[in-house]
Amino acid sequence: MSTWILGISALYHDAAAVLLRDGVIVAAAQEERFSRVKHDASLPVRATKWCLEQGGISIGDLDHLVFYEKPLRKFERILANSVATFPRSWRAFPRQMVTWLGSKLWVRNQLVATFGIQPHKLLFSEHHLSHAASAFLCSPYDEATILTVDGVGEEATTGLWRGTAEAPFIEPLAEVRFPHSLGMFYSTITALLGFAVNSGEYKVMGMAAYGEPRFRAEMDKLLRLEDGGAFSLDLDYFSFHYHPTQSYRPRLVDLLGEPRMPGEPFRPTAIAGDASAEAVARNQRFADIAASAQSAIEDALLHVVRAAHAEHGGDTLCMAGGVALNSVANHRLAKDGPYDKLWIQPAAGDAGGALGAALWAWHCVLGKPRAATLDRIDLGRSWARDQTRQILDDLGTTYEDLGDTSTSTTRAAEDLARGDIIGWFDGRFEWGPRALGHRSILADPRGADTKDKVNARIKFRESFRPFAPAITEEAADDWYDIAPAARVPLRFMLATPTLKPEREGSLPATTHLDGTSRVQIVRRSDHPHFHELITAFSGHSDTPVLLNTSFNLKGDPIVASPIDALATLRRSELDTLYLDGFRVPSPD
Amino acid sequence: MGRFRQTWIGLVSEVSWRLPGWPVKLLTAFGQAERGSFYDMLAAAEATDRPDLRRKYFEHALDESQHAIYFRDRVMALGGIDRARAAMEEAGALTSRGIVGGESLYERLGEIDFLAFVHVAEAEAIEQFSVYCDRELPDPETIAMLQKIMPDEKFHTAYPLHELEQRRKQGKGKQVDTALRRVKWNRLKEGWLRFSRDVGHVMSSVWLFLLYAILIPPFSLLGKVERGGWQAPRRDRRPLAVAARSQG
Ligand SMILES: [Fe+2]
Ligand SMILES: [Fe+2]
Ligand SMILES: [Fe+2]
């Protein structure tokens, strides 16, 4: 008899469900891929339904359903914080209470009512414990120091843990509590720079490359590093802990200058175009703020990690939590940090809590030994080819059935070498926020105009952000300077190595202004088809690299189903769609 | 269109398009609705087993996606960049478009009711847009945009009607009438529920604010914002089997 555990994260952002059978991941998916609501936070009903289908079980067969945090503890923190910040919390308090008393407080009842699970099967992990479990328990390492960093969970915003080979598997060492939060620090700068909090953070990271950290002294006022790897925020500059929508106080504007208007075109010196001198100066300030915040958070993480290493030793660091998605900071940790081995759970944000919660139940609660590691990331849903063919026929689509994959990779490589931009849909969709060769838009990275073409005709997004290159494992070291500790995170596109000097200028579409790239190292065993495709492309171009960006248009979640892919083909200027071995040319 | 209904829509529109800031608000809401129906129609195209309808749902979905972009462009042109972005990017705002029990609108309603719903909802949209254009309430460019999408909206209301007529011919007239009645009634009911929920929301916010103003002050002296730096993790004294089952 197998033991089935379903982990769930929901009700804050990025809801997800993960199904384990005897500790091995059977299915893992974010709700947004099914509901098509980006960052969907509602209970992951559709993701759960599909996970159970994938496991061939019904809800009654589950041994446990595990929620990724403790809602009552979170509520206590919110209440205590409202009291402590009285009377400034007057706007936030009624709002928070309405949502909490109206629904969030009744998680147990909601889970029982929505999923029909028997109450005695319900377990509740803790937010940072779930992050820690997701980071360590499916890593390939027996022992590690674990660092979890995000905006906030119940009370903690940062957690330091020890991961052990035997029970208890995960031991808490220390924590930093709300409102002192590296995640909230970065989100506040994100808001100041006119991007949406909880989704625009990586735009700040992209912007940073255009600036110089000339506001570092100011950042050091906001985020103070203290002895023993500790840090704190100067709360006089922030209001996120008592204001429902405004995350900073006027003092921050006095310190850093006027905020950026959302949607304002970004025209710093390096890409000034025909912008006025005044606009360029203003935009350069924004770039410099981004660069300063990025430099500050990198230094803070290094500061934490060095102290942890000095105190607890070891050679391995496992990480999760939203801040661990900052690939530039990760690279800094890999390069300058004290650990030889670095492992970051690819769904490092709150979606990953579903995985952690399930693994925590299996190992820590049920006491089962360590087993599976997370290598393959195609853990989402796939569609049968017959089903896809039916849809293609019904929609009257012109297509070619290429049948087997090698024909498909050969043809796709030819298209790419000719300069086409293609949609690549292969098997099950990815776990985590990145498209890693299963739901990707691909292009030749050598063209000088490729980046603008993909931005303007397909992704409809800000042109200052770089695209990521995917490179075969065999060729990676010929092209990039890769810090040893960054090698594993690069499988999940979680670090940013530099292009080798002798390759300079050869990959303009995927190389950022500062020479770095958010590289994905593609192993044959993890992504056989994608690896074959890049290799075939290299046969035409001597370049074992493809530009790889997620298969979606701005504002949409990444495509999940064939019909999502076909709709995206029609709504953009993609040249060709490769859909599980069907080649669909653009209708116009 | 009923005379009473037309007058009512006219009155409401006269007021709402003239309130400062409201044109942007209205256009944003329409943009969101268009985007929401893009997803609804795409889900229907995926779920239906009728090849001809699949194609119509799919084309309908693509129209709505394009309309959402037109509305966003108008919002941006009117200086409401902020809201346009919220509408397009923070699709979280779309959760109110009616995902109940994790089913798409199509799955929830079934084919006949879904067709009835699409027909009724699209006809109402045409009604509204026509009133706006006839009374020249929005700015000229927005009127031009509304006129540009009108043929699409006519297609959106016509093909479901045609489909329902076919069913009538197959002797399912009663089913069709019931579906249309049910859909109209549900739209009224949902509108009312939304309204009462909003009112309830305001009421409870007022109560909670009073609670805040009266009850919190004495405790606020005791409350302290957490200090920064490392702290020892909270130790849970309960046995793991108990703590693991607890929400707190
Ligand atoms: Fe988190
Ligand atoms: Fe429309
Ligand atoms: Fe329509």
Side-chain angles (χ1 to χ4, degrees), chain A residues 342-364:
Chain A
L342 180 59
W343 202 86
I344 302 163
Q345 202 271 117
D350 280 355
L355 172 61
L359 288 168
W360 164 76
W362 173 250
H363 295 291
C364 305

PDB file of all heavy atoms in Angstrom, chain A residues 342-364:
ATOM      1  N   LEU A 342      25.653  24.757  -3.527  1.00  0.00           N
ATOM      2  CA  LEU A 342      24.474  25.599  -3.345  1.00  0.00           C
ATOM      3  C   LEU A 342      23.304  24.907  -4.036  1.00  0.00           C
ATOM      4  O   LEU A 342      23.431  24.475  -5.189  1.00  0.00           O
ATOM      5  CB  LEU A 342      24.753  26.963  -3.978  1.00  0.00           C
ATOM      6  CG  LEU A 342      23.667  28.031  -3.913  1.00  0.00           C
ATOM      7  CD1 LEU A 342      23.293  28.356  -2.485  1.00  0.00           C
ATOM      8  CD2 LEU A 342      24.155  29.299  -4.621  1.00  0.00           C
ATOM      9  N   TRP A 343      22.195  24.765  -3.340  1.00  0.00           N
ATOM     10  CA  TRP A 343      21.008  24.179  -3.964  1.00  0.00           C
ATOM     11  C   TRP A 343      19.814  25.064  -3.670  1.00  0.00           C
ATOM     12  O   TRP A 343      19.558  25.417  -2.520  1.00  0.00           O
ATOM     13  CB  TRP A 343      20.740  22.758  -3.438  1.00  0.00           C
ATOM     14  CG  TRP A 343      19.895  21.959  -4.387  1.00  0.00           C
ATOM     15  CD1 TRP A 343      20.328  21.225  -5.450  1.00  0.00           C
ATOM     16  CD2 TRP A 343      18.472  21.827  -4.391  1.00  0.00           C
ATOM     17  NE1 TRP A 343      19.280  20.656  -6.115  1.00  0.00           N
ATOM     18  CE2 TRP A 343      18.131  21.003  -5.487  1.00  0.00           C
ATOM     19  CE3 TRP A 343      17.455  22.335  -3.594  1.00  0.00           C
ATOM     20  CZ2 TRP A 343      16.812  20.666  -5.797  1.00  0.00           C
ATOM     21  CZ3 TRP A 343      16.141  22.004  -3.900  1.00  0.00           C
ATOM     22  CH2 TRP A 343      15.832  21.175  -4.983  1.00  0.00           C
ATOM     23  N   ILE A 344      19.106  25.441  -4.721  1.00  0.00           N
ATOM     24  CA  ILE A 344      17.940  26.305  -4.554  1.00  0.00           C
ATOM     25  C   ILE A 344      16.739  25.605  -5.168  1.00  0.00           C
ATOM     26  O   ILE A 344      16.792  25.166  -6.315  1.00  0.00           O
ATOM     27  CB  ILE A 344      18.175  27.669  -5.238  1.00  0.00           C
ATOM     28  CG1 ILE A 344      19.427  28.332  -4.641  1.00  0.00           C
ATOM     29  CG2 ILE A 344      16.965  28.575  -5.076  1.00  0.00           C
ATOM     30  CD1 ILE A 344      19.988  29.436  -5.483  1.00  0.00           C
ATOM     31  N   GLN A 345      15.696  25.495  -4.389  1.00  0.00           N
ATOM     32  CA  GLN A 345      14.481  24.846  -4.889  1.00  0.00           C
ATOM     33  C   GLN A 345      13.878  25.748  -5.972  1.00  0.00           C
ATOM     34  O   GLN A 345      13.657  26.925  -5.729  1.00  0.00           O
ATOM     35  CB  GLN A 345      13.524  24.644  -3.708  1.00  0.00           C
ATOM     36  CG  GLN A 345      12.503  23.554  -3.917  1.00  0.00           C
ATOM     37  CD  GLN A 345      11.274  24.101  -4.557  1.00  0.00           C
ATOM     38  OE1 GLN A 345      10.914  23.726  -5.666  1.00  0.00           O
ATOM     39  NE2 GLN A 345      10.614  24.998  -3.877  1.00  0.00           N
ATOM     40  N   PRO A 346      13.645  25.200  -7.168  1.00  0.00           N
ATOM     41  CA  PRO A 346      13.260  26.068  -8.288  1.00  0.00           C
ATOM     42  C   PRO A 346      11.957  26.841  -8.071  1.00  0.00           C
ATOM     43  O   PRO A 346      11.839  27.966  -8.538  1.00  0.00           O
ATOM     44  CB  PRO A 346      13.134  25.101  -9.468  1.00  0.00           C
ATOM     45  CG  PRO A 346      13.149  23.729  -8.897  1.00  0.00           C
ATOM     46  CD  PRO A 346      13.864  23.818  -7.595  1.00  0.00           C
ATOM     47  N   ALA A 347      10.983  26.256  -7.375  1.00  0.00           N
ATOM     48  CA  ALA A 347       9.778  27.034  -7.041  1.00  0.00           C
ATOM     49  C   ALA A 347      10.027  27.655  -5.669  1.00  0.00           C
ATOM     50  O   ALA A 347       9.391  27.319  -4.687  1.00  0.00           O
ATOM     51  CB  ALA A 347       8.544  26.155  -7.032  1.00  0.00           C
ATOM     52  N   ALA A 348      10.986  28.588  -5.630  1.00  0.00           N
ATOM     53  CA  ALA A 348      11.425  29.110  -4.333  1.00  0.00           C
ATOM     54  C   ALA A 348      10.364  29.973  -3.661  1.00  0.00           C
ATOM     55  O   ALA A 348      10.349  30.106  -2.447  1.00  0.00           O
ATOM     56  CB  ALA A 348      12.717  29.895  -4.516  1.00  0.00           C
ATOM     57  N   GLY A 349       9.459  30.551  -4.440  1.00  0.00           N
ATOM     58  CA  GLY A 349       8.407  31.393  -3.873  1.00  0.00           C
ATOM     59  C   GLY A 349       7.366  30.560  -3.133  1.00  0.00           C
ATOM     60  O   GLY A 349       7.587  29.381  -2.848  1.00  0.00           O
ATOM     61  N   ASP A 350       6.220  31.179  -2.864  1.00  0.00           N
ATOM     62  CA  ASP A 350       5.253  30.497  -2.006  1.00  0.00           C
ATOM     63  C   ASP A 350       4.613  29.260  -2.641  1.00  0.00           C
ATOM     64  O   ASP A 350       4.156  28.370  -1.928  1.00  0.00           O
ATOM     65  CB  ASP A 350       4.177  31.478  -1.542  1.00  0.00           C
ATOM     66  CG  ASP A 350       4.687  32.321  -0.378  1.00  0.00           C
ATOM     67  OD1 ASP A 350       5.815  32.047   0.087  1.00  0.00           O
ATOM     68  OD2 ASP A 350       3.970  33.241   0.053  1.00  0.00           O
ATOM     69  N   ALA A 351       4.593  29.191  -3.974  1.00  0.00           N
ATOM     70  CA  ALA A 351       4.090  27.966  -4.607  1.00  0.00           C
ATOM     71  C   ALA A 351       4.871  26.760  -4.091  1.00  0.00           C
ATOM     72  O   ALA A 351       4.306  25.698  -3.807  1.00  0.00           O
ATOM     73  CB  ALA A 351       4.195  28.062  -6.120  1.00  0.00           C
ATOM     74  N   GLY A 352       6.174  26.951  -3.931  1.00  0.00           N
ATOM     75  CA  GLY A 352       7.040  25.877  -3.466  1.00  0.00           C
ATOM     76  C   GLY A 352       6.703  25.391  -2.067  1.00  0.00           C
ATOM     77  O   GLY A 352       7.101  24.288  -1.678  1.00  0.00           O
ATOM     78  N   GLY A 353       5.964  26.208  -1.306  1.00  0.00           N
ATOM     79  CA  GLY A 353       5.538  25.791   0.025  1.00  0.00           C
ATOM     80  C   GLY A 353       4.714  24.513  -0.019  1.00  0.00           C
ATOM     81  O   GLY A 353       4.737  23.713   0.918  1.00  0.00           O
ATOM     82  N   ALA A 354       3.995  24.307  -1.117  1.00  0.00           N
ATOM     83  CA  ALA A 354       3.181  23.089  -1.258  1.00  0.00           C
ATOM     84  C   ALA A 354       4.084  21.855  -1.274  1.00  0.00           C
ATOM     85  O   ALA A 354       3.783  20.835  -0.640  1.00  0.00           O
ATOM     86  CB  ALA A 354       2.358  23.160  -2.546  1.00  0.00           C
ATOM     87  N   LEU A 355       5.196  21.965  -1.993  1.00  0.00           N
ATOM     88  CA  LEU A 355       6.163  20.862  -2.045  1.00  0.00           C
ATOM     89  C   LEU A 355       6.779  20.633  -0.669  1.00  0.00           C
ATOM     90  O   LEU A 355       6.864  19.498  -0.182  1.00  0.00           O
ATOM     91  CB  LEU A 355       7.250  21.190  -3.075  1.00  0.00           C
ATOM     92  CG  LEU A 355       8.447  20.246  -3.150  1.00  0.00           C
ATOM     93  CD1 LEU A 355       8.020  18.834  -3.518  1.00  0.00           C
ATOM     94  CD2 LEU A 355       9.475  20.777  -4.160  1.00  0.00           C
ATOM     95  N   GLY A 356       7.196  21.744  -0.034  1.00  0.00           N
ATOM     96  CA  GLY A 356       7.826  21.638   1.275  1.00  0.00           C
ATOM     97  C   GLY A 356       6.888  21.035   2.306  1.00  0.00           C
ATOM     98  O   GLY A 356       7.291  20.172   3.097  1.00  0.00           O
ATOM     99  N   ALA A 357       5.629  21.472   2.290  1.00  0.00           N
ATOM    100  CA  ALA A 357       4.659  20.972   3.265  1.00  0.00           C
ATOM    101  C   ALA A 357       4.509  19.462   3.134  1.00  0.00           C
ATOM    102  O   ALA A 357       4.486  18.728   4.128  1.00  0.00           O
ATOM    103  CB  ALA A 357       3.319  21.670   3.058  1.00  0.00           C
ATOM    104  N   ALA A 358       4.423  18.988   1.891  1.00  0.00           N
ATOM    105  CA  ALA A 358       4.240  17.549   1.663  1.00  0.00           C
ATOM    106  C   ALA A 358       5.484  16.772   2.110  1.00  0.00           C
ATOM    107  O   ALA A 358       5.376  15.737   2.777  1.00  0.00           O
ATOM    108  CB  ALA A 358       3.942  17.303   0.186  1.00  0.00           C
ATOM    109  N   LEU A 359       6.667  17.305   1.764  1.00  0.00           N
ATOM    110  CA  LEU A 359       7.907  16.615   2.153  1.00  0.00           C
ATOM    111  C   LEU A 359       8.094  16.612   3.673  1.00  0.00           C
ATOM    112  O   LEU A 359       8.561  15.643   4.262  1.00  0.00           O
ATOM    113  CB  LEU A 359       9.113  17.289   1.484  1.00  0.00           C
ATOM    114  CG  LEU A 359       9.255  17.062  -0.019  1.00  0.00           C
ATOM    115  CD1 LEU A 359      10.293  18.021  -0.600  1.00  0.00           C
ATOM    116  CD2 LEU A 359       9.642  15.614  -0.329  1.00  0.00           C
ATOM    117  N   TRP A 360       7.706  17.712   4.293  1.00  0.00           N
ATOM    118  CA  TRP A 360       7.786  17.804   5.765  1.00  0.00           C
ATOM    119  C   TRP A 360       6.929  16.704   6.395  1.00  0.00           C
ATOM    120  O   TRP A 360       7.367  16.015   7.316  1.00  0.00           O
ATOM    121  CB  TRP A 360       7.317  19.187   6.211  1.00  0.00           C
ATOM    122  CG  TRP A 360       6.997  19.306   7.668  1.00  0.00           C
ATOM    123  CD1 TRP A 360       7.897  19.399   8.686  1.00  0.00           C
ATOM    124  CD2 TRP A 360       5.697  19.339   8.260  1.00  0.00           C
ATOM    125  NE1 TRP A 360       7.232  19.487   9.882  1.00  0.00           N
ATOM    126  CE2 TRP A 360       5.884  19.452   9.652  1.00  0.00           C
ATOM    127  CE3 TRP A 360       4.396  19.290   7.761  1.00  0.00           C
ATOM    128  CZ2 TRP A 360       4.807  19.507  10.543  1.00  0.00           C
ATOM    129  CZ3 TRP A 360       3.330  19.350   8.641  1.00  0.00           C
ATOM    130  CH2 TRP A 360       3.541  19.454  10.019  1.00  0.00           C
ATOM    131  N   ALA A 361       5.717  16.531   5.872  1.00  0.00           N
ATOM    132  CA  ALA A 361       4.833  15.507   6.442  1.00  0.00           C
ATOM    133  C   ALA A 361       5.453  14.116   6.284  1.00  0.00           C
ATOM    134  O   ALA A 361       5.468  13.313   7.222  1.00  0.00           O
ATOM    135  CB  ALA A 361       3.466  15.564   5.767  1.00  0.00           C
ATOM    136  N   TRP A 362       5.976  13.854   5.098  1.00  0.00           N
ATOM    137  CA  TRP A 362       6.531  12.518   4.809  1.00  0.00           C
ATOM    138  C   TRP A 362       7.755  12.217   5.678  1.00  0.00           C
ATOM    139  O   TRP A 362       7.842  11.170   6.303  1.00  0.00           O
ATOM    140  CB  TRP A 362       6.867  12.428   3.322  1.00  0.00           C
ATOM    141  CG  TRP A 362       7.586  11.178   2.905  1.00  0.00           C
ATOM    142  CD1 TRP A 362       8.880  11.084   2.497  1.00  0.00           C
ATOM    143  CD2 TRP A 362       7.064   9.839   2.847  1.00  0.00           C
ATOM    144  NE1 TRP A 362       9.193   9.794   2.180  1.00  0.00           N
ATOM    145  CE2 TRP A 362       8.098   8.994   2.383  1.00  0.00           C
ATOM    146  CE3 TRP A 362       5.808   9.267   3.139  1.00  0.00           C
ATOM    147  CZ2 TRP A 362       7.938   7.622   2.202  1.00  0.00           C
ATOM    148  CZ3 TRP A 362       5.644   7.898   2.964  1.00  0.00           C
ATOM    149  CH2 TRP A 362       6.692   7.088   2.498  1.00  0.00           C
ATOM    150  N   HIS A 363       8.686  13.149   5.745  1.00  0.00           N
ATOM    151  CA  HIS A 363       9.923  12.880   6.482  1.00  0.00           C
ATOM    152  C   HIS A 363       9.802  13.220   7.966  1.00  0.00           C
ATOM    153  O   HIS A 363      10.045  12.375   8.817  1.00  0.00           O
ATOM    154  CB  HIS A 363      11.088  13.665   5.873  1.00  0.00           C
ATOM    155  CG  HIS A 363      11.407  13.233   4.471  1.00  0.00           C
ATOM    156  ND1 HIS A 363      11.952  12.010   4.178  1.00  0.00           N
ATOM    157  CD2 HIS A 363      11.245  13.862   3.285  1.00  0.00           C
ATOM    158  CE1 HIS A 363      12.122  11.904   2.868  1.00  0.00           C
ATOM    159  NE2 HIS A 363      11.690  13.001   2.301  1.00  0.00           N
ATOM    160  N   CYS A 364       9.418  14.462   8.250  1.00  0.00           N
ATOM    161  CA  CYS A 364       9.500  14.923   9.637  1.00  0.00           C
ATOM    162  C   CYS A 364       8.354  14.373  10.486  1.00  0.00           C
ATOM    163  O   CYS A 364       8.552  14.032  11.640  1.00  0.00           O
ATOM    164  CB  CYS A 364       9.518  16.444   9.689  1.00  0.00           C
ATOM    165  SG  CYS A 364      10.831  17.156   8.692  1.00  0.00           S
TER     166      CYS A 364
END
